[in-house]
């Protein structure tokens, strides 16, 4: 702060611009990242980007039982949750330093 307790606007603008650049870099890295969620020991695999876009679902034929569809549904849901948790953790690790710990909506 300058004498008199007034913040230096030029310094604040510089810091905001730096944060904006860091956020843009983190977003680019998240867009390129692919994370995998699995369930049932790999019977179901889900791939999601770092931005939360689901890319694929793979189901091992061993997981398919016409008499027990509910288990397969549970495995798919568990794999999705696993992938989403990995995506959330990656987002926190990339965006946290870029935002200085501030919580930004949508991230």
């Amino acid at each position: 702060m300058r004498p008199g307790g007034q913040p230096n606007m030029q310094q604040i603008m510089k810091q905001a611009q730096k944060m904006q650049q860091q956020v843009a870099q983190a977003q680019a890295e998240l867009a390129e990242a692919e994370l995998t969620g699995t369930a049932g020991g790999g019977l179901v695999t889900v791939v999601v980007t770092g931005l939360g876009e689901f890319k694929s679902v793979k189901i091992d034929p061993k997981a398919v039982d016409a008499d027990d569809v509910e288990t397969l549904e549970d495995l798919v849901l568990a794999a999705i949750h696993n992938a989403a948790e990995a995506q959330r953790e990656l987002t926190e690790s990339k965006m946290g330093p870029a935002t200085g710990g501030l919580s930004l909506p949508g991230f």
Side-chain angles (χ1 to χ4, degrees):
M1 281 200 197
R2 294 185 298 182
Q6 294 298 316
N8 182 336
M9 285 305 289
Q10 186 176 12
Q11 184 66 23
I12 291 172
M13 293 302 290
K14 244 181 169 177
Q15 288 175 331
Q17 188 175 31
K18 182 179 178 186
M19 182 186 289
Q20 186 177 23
Q21 290 169 344
Q22 290 172 330
V23 167
Q25 177 65 32
Q27 286 175 321
E29 291 173 16
L30 288 171
E32 292 179 17
E34 287 192 355
L35 303 123
T36 302
T38 62
L43 290 175
V44 177
T45 303
V46 174
V47 177
V48 63
T49 69
L51 294 177
E53 176 187 340
F54 287 91
K55 302 288 279 185
S56 67
V57 176
K58 301 267 190 253
I59 300 173
D60 188 308
K62 295 178 211 161
V64 180
D65 180 352
D67 296 326
D68 188 12
V69 174
E70 190 174 290
T71 296
L72 178 56
E73 292 169 343
D74 290 343
L75 289 172
V76 170
L77 189 57
I80 289 171
H81 283 283
N82 185 254
E85 178 64 18
Q87 185 264 335
R88 185 191 62 76
E89 289 173 2
L90 180 64
T91 299
E92 284 180 7
S93 73
K94 294 287 184 187
M95 296 302 285
T99 62
L102 296 175
S103 179
L104 297 179
F107 295 102

